[in-house]
Amino acid sequence: MKSDRKSKLYVHLLFWILYYILEVYLDFYWSRYQFPDAEWQIRLQNTIVLELGYLLIKMPLAYSLLYVYEKTGIKRFFSYLLYCFIIVAAVLAHRFFTHYIIYPHIYGVVETLDAKQPSGFINGLVAFNSFMDLIFMAGLIFGVEITRQKNILKEQISQLKSEKLDQELTMLKAQINPHFLFNTLNNIYGMALKKADETPDVILQLSKVMRYNIYEAAERYISIDKDVENIKDFLQIQQIRHHDLVVHFNEEIDNPSQEISPLILIQFVENAFKHGVSETLGQSFIHIDIKLNKGVLHYHIENSKEEKPHGNSTKIGLKNIRRQLELLYPKHILTVESTGNRYIVNLIIDFNDTFRF
């Protein structure tokens, strides 16, 4: 984020310097026809001063428009109203500066339309000229900013491709680590000795979890129903290990074929067991709520924990998850709350506003 802000600062600073030089050159060139009797030094001095004044109007206009453009959550109709209001206010400020400051105080003359007829503060021609001057600048700054954002996105995608293999291997070790596999096999062994009826089902669930992590996770995207099914298998295995575990699982998915990057949702569940449920001395619980409605995912996890958890490994795990989400879904919303005896995680991903690579 810091590098992004620094990049934006440097690019925009360079843009305004080059834009100012261009405007000074064009206005200075035009002034020799408007004021043919004035010396070039005077014309250049006046041009430098007045273009600085115009920047005081154009820069707020540019960043107000960019703010509305980048601001999420504003309805399109209100965005258009804001655009119109900002542009009209900028045109009025542009005309005020031109009519009441530049001509009488810098040029020392009355503003005219054709060097004969005085121009009023607002009329069709001068307002149109001000509007075109401002729109030209706005088009340039939007082009520069959109190009900059696209270049950053390309760099992030390239970085994601280079990191994906190592990241997936790390997640595999976190998901099916020897400790988890050893305990699960021990439980299956004990059930087999007792000839428990559910032993084949547990073996099947374990094989499904392993197959998901080995094969499905190698894909760039999988359907969300496969991801949810893997979470269910994982939970059922954990219920065998934690006999007093209370599980509440709710899913409302309107599009089971919605694609999602694998090893995203399961990480929060695994993290809940590794640093919460497994350390709970009393009755442990985990509540999971998954809702997908019109391409927007709402993912809620709430689990028990000790009031004084051991170590800070959960922070490392969350850091890795945040990093992956930042690369895959830059506009996601993730909140993590730790109260006295529980963790609460809320994740929102808008698949409609996600770049596919």
Side-chain angles (χ1 to χ4, degrees):
M1 297 298 292
K2 289 184 178 179
S3 60
D4 180 49
R5 289 195 293 267
K6 185 178 293 185
S7 166
K8 185 175 183 178
L9 175 63
Y10 290 157
V11 170
H12 283 228
L13 182 61
L14 179 61
F15 166 80
W16 288 115
I17 292 174
L18 294 177
Y19 177 79
Y20 177 73
I21 293 174
L22 173 65
E23 287 294 290
V24 167
Y25 169 77
L26 293 176
D27 203 54
F28 175 72
Y29 184 82
W30 171 81
S31 66
R32 68 177 184 175
Y33 298 102
Q34 188 179 22
F35 306 105
D37 298 329
E39 297 182 358
W40 71 268
Q41 295 92 338
I42 300 299
R43 290 190 290 108
L44 178 60
Q45 176 182 323
N46 291 341
T47 301
I48 291 174
V49 173
L50 69 90
E51 288 301 335
L52 283 175
Y54 278 136
L55 283 183
L56 298 178
I57 299 172
K58 294 179 178 180
M59 292 180 72
L61 167 66
Y63 292 111
S64 297
L65 294 176
L66 284 174
Y67 176 82
V68 175
Y69 174 77
E70 296 174 348
K71 183 70 173 178
T72 58
I74 302 179
K75 293 184 178 180
R76 185 173 299 181
F77 174 75
F78 292 109
S79 296
Y80 291 152
L81 285 181
L82 285 173
Y83 286 140
C84 293
F85 175 80
I86 293 170
I87 291 173
V88 169
V91 169
L92 292 175
H94 190 278
R95 284 299 306 142
F96 180 88
F97 182 74
T98 302
H99 188 75
Y100 292 109
I101 297 178
I102 291 179
Y103 276 87
H105 298 288
I106 296 179
Y107 291 152
V109 297
V110 176
E111 183 184 20
T112 59
L113 293 176
D114 53 359
K116 294 180 180 180
Q117 181 183 357
S119 170
F121 170 64
I122 282 291
N123 62 47
L125 180 60
V126 295
F128 178 78
N129 289 339
S130 296
F131 173 79
M132 292 304 297
D133 185 31
L134 296 173
I135 289 299
F136 172 73
M137 178 278 305
L140 290 178
I141 191 66
F142 265 75
V144 168
E145 179 59 15
I146 291 174
T147 301
R148 187 192 69 85
Q149 292 182 4
K150 286 186 176 180
N151 288 336
I152 290 177
L153 188 57
K154 288 180 180 179
E155 292 177 2
Q156 291 178 339
I157 293 172
S158 177
Q159 182 182 3
L160 174 61
K161 289 179 179 179
S162 64
E163 293 179 354
K164 190 170 180 62
L165 180 59
D166 291 337
Q167 188 178 62
E168 288 177 351
L169 291 175
T170 301
M171 296 305 170
L172 281 175
K173 293 178 182 179
Q175 295 293 320
I176 305 298
N177 53 67
H179 181 70
F180 164 72
L181 187 58
F182 176 77
N183 285 325
T184 303
L185 290 175
N186 267 345
N187 287 323
I188 293 175
Y189 176 72
M191 294 172 64
L193 289 177
K194 297 177 182 179
K195 297 182 179 181
D197 295 336
E198 63 266 23
T199 302
D201 294 332
V202 175
I203 295 175
L204 178 62
Q205 289 160 5
L206 178 61
S207 66
K208 288 171 65 179
V209 171
M210 294 180 67
R211 183 169 60 250
Y212 172 88
N213 282 273
I214 294 173
Y215 298 108
E216 302 289 351
E219 301 294 329
R220 284 184 175 178
Y221 296 96
I222 62 171
S223 60
I224 194 169
D225 61 335
K226 291 183 179 180
D227 219 26
V228 172
E229 187 66 26
N230 180 64
I231 294 175
K232 292 178 180 178
D233 293 331
F234 185 85
L235 287 173
Q236 290 181 13
I237 294 174
Q238 293 292 349
Q239 283 182 292
I240 298 173
R241 296 179 57 197
H242 307 279
H243 300 288
D244 61 343
L245 174 65
V246 177
V247 176
H248 293 289
F249 188 91
N250 177 58
E251 60 171 305
E252 298 177 20
I253 298 176
D254 64 351
N255 181 17
S257 61
Q258 170 67 57
E259 292 187 326
I260 186 173
S261 180
L263 302 177
I264 289 291
L265 303 183
I266 190 66
Q267 295 178 61
F268 292 100
V269 181
E270 194 277 340
N271 200 62
F273 279 96
K274 182 183 293 185
H275 308 298
V277 174
S278 298
E279 297 179 348
T280 304
L281 299 179
Q283 186 180 57
S284 56
F285 68 87
I286 181 169
H287 302 163
I288 301 177
D289 187 54
I290 303 175
K291 295 181 181 178
L292 178 67
N293 184 28
K294 297 181 180 179
V296 180
L297 174 69
H298 292 263
Y299 187 42
H300 173 85
I301 296 181
E302 186 173 336
N303 64 273
S304 58
K305 75 174 183 69
E306 285 300 298
E307 293 191 7
K308 296 182 180 180
H310 303 289
N312 61 352
S313 56
T314 181
K315 295 182 179 179
I316 299 175
L318 283 174
K319 182 178 180 182
N320 292 336
I321 297 173
R322 289 181 189 275
R323 175 59 177 163
Q324 192 176 12
L325 283 169
E326 182 181 342
L327 292 172
L328 292 168
Y329 305 105
K331 293 187 178 181
H332 73 278
I333 300 175
L334 174 63
T335 60
V336 179
E337 181 182 355
S338 177
T339 62
N341 59 356
R342 65 183 60 197
Y343 282 119
I344 302 174
V345 176
N346 286 288
L347 172 65
I348 300 176
I349 299 176
D350 186 353
F351 295 110
N352 302 309
D353 193 19
T354 300
F355 181 83
R356 291 291 300 270
F357 63 94

